[in-house]
Amino acid sequence: MLEKYLQVHPEVQKAIAAGEPVVALESTIISHGMPYPKNIEMAKNVSRIIRENGAVPATIAIIDGVLKVGLTEEEIEFLGTSKDVVKASRRDLPFIISKKLTGATTVATTMILANLAGVKVFATGGIGGVHRGAQETFDISADLQELANTDVAVICAGAKSILDIGLTLEYLETNGVPVIGFGTDEMPAFYTRRSGFGVDYRVESSMEVATALKAKWDLDLKGGMVIGNPIPEEFEMDYDTITNAIESALKEAEEKNIAGKKVTPFLLDRVKTITAGKSLESNIELVYNNAKVAAQIAKDLSDISK
Ligand code: PSU
Ligand code: MN
């Protein structure tokens, strides 16, 4: 049944079947999160970093209606250059399939497809969350609901302050999603290492994360886990610079009435322009850092699951 929809790359399939470490990667970051050609360069480097750290990369997307776990370099290039790629969240999946469209997967959809294929560890930049002003707009990313329900660990650099980090943490708490600080007591704020908000647990090693994940899923405590891995110091942005850029981007989004799925890509693009590309450099570096940690977690999880 599943084979009708899902195509797992042979290398990824082999690794999954053998219980070897695999790391899932999302594709919205390629098509809607970063401009060409940096997006493609980033996607290829991330895959290389995962390999160098002993795991198999599986970039996830939907091509012509087929759910793909593990893309070829040509497919990554296609996603990074084509203008007709739909940003695909959970609600979009059925129609992207029936209309044979090409879709880039958000954190939510990447989790769904990774889980269908049997991949349990996923590296990205940042998760979606509760947007500032959500009390009025109801803008809460479907990523959070997916974390509540789908058994995949997400290694990220925290949540950006385009979001309301405090409310995002509250939402995750309500839904029983553990939020972990990798070598930190604070939820990282994506471009900066600190947010002022504490995490539930601080861990110092990938094995600690793997052991907790195994316990969670052994006990059928459904849902994912957020592993907040702070951006390396040398790539961190100046707090005032990024805060001002985010404030102006948010104001502009409001003036232009940007809503729905367009909000996050709009804000990311504006922040990039306002910071003269500096935010993009930070964004790329933190993804690399997350890929490395995710590969280590996947390796440890594979070791203790055999
Ligand atoms: N944060 C980033 N870059 C991104 C995204 C978030 O720094 O590209 C993407 C991810 O795919 C995430 C999605 O799942 O935006 C969230 O979108 P929304 O807020 O519409 O749920
Ligand atoms: Mn939204």
Side-chain angles (χ1 to χ4, degrees):
M1 182 59 145
L2 204 50
E3 306 81 70
K4 179 168 179 254
Y5 303 103
L6 183 69
Q7 210 178 84
V8 182
H9 189 286
E11 185 196 9
V12 176
Q13 181 63 65
K14 207 171 135 213
I16 295 167
E20 300 294 342
V22 179
V23 174
L25 298 160
E26 64 156 304
S27 44
T28 293
I29 193 176
I30 304 173
S31 64
H32 295 77
M34 290 183 192
Y36 174 83
K38 290 269 182 191
N39 55 354
I40 293 178
E41 192 188 307
M42 178 277 307
K44 290 183 180 169
N45 284 335
V46 167
S47 291
R48 179 177 48 76
I49 291 168
I50 288 173
R51 285 186 199 286
E52 285 168 3
N53 285 278
V56 174
T59 309
I60 293 182
I62 308 149
I63 311 248
D64 299 328
V66 179
L67 312 179
K68 298 246 186 184
V69 174
L71 299 182
T72 62
E73 291 219 338
E74 291 70 39
E75 286 168 330
I76 288 178
E77 272 167 32
F78 174 67
L79 281 173
T81 47
S82 167
K83 293 273 163 268
D84 300 321
V85 180
V86 184
K87 177 180 163 189
S89 202
R90 172 179 270 269
R91 57 108 189 260
D92 304 296
L93 268 183
F95 289 91
I96 292 182
I97 294 169
S98 69
K99 290 180 181 294
K100 297 192 168 34
L101 301 177
T102 291
T105 52
T106 61
V107 167
T109 326
T110 305
M111 289 176 74
I112 297 171
L113 301 193
N115 191 47
L116 284 176
V119 180
K120 310 308 286 179
V121 177
F122 161 25
T124 187
I127 53 168
V130 180
H131 279 259
R132 295 208 212 166
Q135 299 91 326
E136 291 281 321
T137 61
F138 272 45
D139 191 350
I140 299 174
S141 175
D143 293 353
L144 299 186
Q145 208 45 46
E146 210 58 54
L147 280 159
N149 291 307
T150 303
D151 299 1
V152 173
V154 182
I155 292 78
C156 63
K160 263 179 262 42
S161 54
I162 60 170
L163 303 171
D164 188 318
I165 298 177
L167 292 187
T168 300
L169 293 172
E170 291 293 348
Y171 195 101
L172 291 168
E173 178 185 359
T174 301
N175 285 284
V177 180
V179 178
I180 310 307
F182 197 80
T184 178
D185 296 307
E186 277 185 39
M187 176 71 162
F190 199 84
Y191 301 114
T192 54
R193 293 174 60 84
R194 308 177 69 130
S195 67
F197 292 94
V199 290
D200 302 325
Y201 296 95
R202 175 187 178 132
V203 300
E204 304 298 339
S205 71
S206 50
M207 185 52 95
E208 261 185 275
V209 180
T211 309
L213 285 171
K214 184 165 188 316
K216 186 178 201 294
W217 295 328
D218 276 351
L219 296 173
D220 273 336
L221 296 171
K222 86 178 158 87
M225 196 180 282
V226 175
I227 294 97
N229 182 33
I231 182 170
E233 248 161 75
E234 62 267 40
F235 303 115
E236 191 176 23
M237 290 191 72
D238 171 65
Y239 179 82
D240 290 328
T241 307
I242 194 63
T243 305
N244 292 338
I246 286 172
E247 296 293 346
S248 345
L250 283 166
K251 220 167 103 207
E252 205 176 321
E254 201 182 325
E255 283 161 10
K256 293 193 165 143
N257 282 321
I258 308 289
K261 68 202 266 185
K262 293 206 178 80
V263 174
T264 298
F266 177 87
L267 292 174
L268 289 177
D269 182 62
R270 289 307 301 149
V271 169
K272 186 206 83 198
T273 306
I274 297 167
T275 62
K278 265 188 148 168
S279 65
L280 179 59
E281 286 315 308
S282 295
N283 195 343
I284 291 172
E285 292 296 338
L286 63 84
V287 175
Y288 294 164
N289 190 43
N290 295 340
K292 191 174 116 197
V293 170
Q296 292 162 354
I297 294 172
K299 238 170 52 188
D300 290 338
L301 187 59
S302 150
D303 283 346
I304 59 175
S305 301
K306 276 182 181 161

